Structures are given as structure tokens and as C-alpha cells.
Amino acid sequence: MQKHLSHVDQNGQANMVDVTDKAVTQRIATASGFVQMQTDTLNMIANGQHAKGDVFAVARIAGIQSAKKCADLIPLCHPLMLSKVQVDFTVDSSLSRVNIRATCKLAGQTGVEMEALTAVSVAALTLFDMCKAVDPHMLIGDIKVEEKSGGKTGDWHRSDNQKG
């Protein structure tokens, strides 16, 4: 069975997918990524010593807000009524990075993978923005969907399919 791109019509034109006839189901998606930085920078934000204030609080709010604005940023995304957006940070001293994980949830007719990816991306960009003056060599990386549930295709977990 050959798969096709859902956002391209039979003439090759960009197309917003019609979800009118899709069932309303509970849908959840989780995405992750990281911001790698110098050890001193990591310690500064982990210990709440950044001159700009609580870096994690600002990045969390930015991630939540961006998930809510995903349809304004990604042209063919449907505007969604999210019921939950959670953005979490884990300090990984061994790799000198902050791991970011975002979960989005709703009852709707289309998935929330893009919203979770957007939340991780903007949270990472906000961390970078707040710390770039002290560490311009930070690296944002490995942003990906970890898992999703709901809808016609059911549950999907990265570990069940492939690494990377």
C-alpha cells in the first residue's frame, strides 16, 4: 500500500485536510528535544541564578502559548481546542543539557503532534534566547514525536517503530 501526503491534493496543490467526517476521539501527543549548553550556563539556570529570572518558567509559558498558536504558525494545521498542554524540563548534568518534553491533549477530530512539537521547539528557542548572551554556542536538537494516541491510526510509540 502506497502512502500519500495528506496535505497535497490530486493536483499537487497544498490542501488543508477535511476532518469533517472523522470521529471525535481523545488524542494525546508527546514530543521531546533538548538544549545543550556549557556547564556553567546549565548550573546558572538550574540554580535560579540567571539575571533574567526563572528561565524554566518563561520557557514553559512560551511552550504552552505556542501550542495554542500552532495553527497560526503552521499554514495547514487546524485550529484546535486544546484541553491540556504540559511542558516539562529535566536537567541532565552528564550531557550538559536541558531535556524538554511537551504533551498536548484534546477531544477532537485531528491529532496534536504538531502542537506538541511546536511547544518543544518554542520552549527550546526561549531557553536559547534567555541564555544566548552568556552562552551563544548552545545547541538545540533532537526534536521529535515520542508517542501519540487516538484517532483512526491508534497508538504509536517511537520505541515500537524506530530509534532516532
Side-chain angles (χ1 to χ4, degrees):
M1 179 173 133
Q2 184 176 0
K3 294 189 177 197
H4 68 282
L5 299 174
S6 61
H7 288 82
V8 178
D9 69 15
Q10 64 273 12
N11 299 317
Q13 302 296 314
N15 177 46
M16 187 174 189
V17 175
D18 184 355
V19 297
T20 305
D21 295 328
K22 291 175 92 176
V24 172
T25 61
Q26 179 173 292
R27 295 161 185 265
I28 303 170
T30 299
S32 66
F34 68 81
V35 180
Q36 192 165 21
M37 59 195 68
Q38 296 172 10
T39 303
D40 289 346
T41 308
L42 183 65
N43 290 335
M44 178 180 47
I45 64 174
N47 296 323
Q49 299 170 330
H50 196 293
K52 292 185 177 181
D54 187 343
V55 174
F56 293 136
V58 175
R60 179 174 289 110
I61 292 167
I64 292 167
Q65 186 66 26
S66 68
K68 293 170 19 179
K69 293 291 190 180
C70 185
D72 294 334
L73 301 169
I74 311 295
L76 300 178
C77 281
H78 293 85
L80 302 179
M81 290 294 298
L82 297 169
S83 58
K84 175 74 174 169
V85 179
Q86 182 171 337
V87 179
D88 295 309
F89 303 98
T90 306
V91 174
D92 185 342
S93 298
S94 66
L95 295 174
S96 192
R97 69 187 197 185
V98 174
N99 294 314
I100 305 166
R101 190 170 179 90
T103 300
C104 294
K105 182 178 179 181
L106 61 65
Q109 295 170 293
T110 190
V112 291
E113 296 92 339
M114 294 308 300
E115 288 72 15
L117 287 165
T118 301
V120 169
S121 299
V122 173
L125 289 168
T126 302
L127 283 171
F128 190 98
D129 180 51
M130 292 186 74
C131 298
K132 68 183 182 281
V134 296
D135 190 355
H137 297 286
M138 288 177 290
L139 171 72
I140 296 172
D142 208 22
I143 297 172
K144 61 186 176 288
V145 175
E146 293 288 348
E147 59 190 6
K148 70 109 185 159
S149 64
K152 181 174 67 173
T153 59
D155 295 355
W156 180 90
H157 302 274
R158 177 162 296 281
S159 60
D160 294 345
N161 295 284
Q162 67 184 37
K163 296 289 181 189

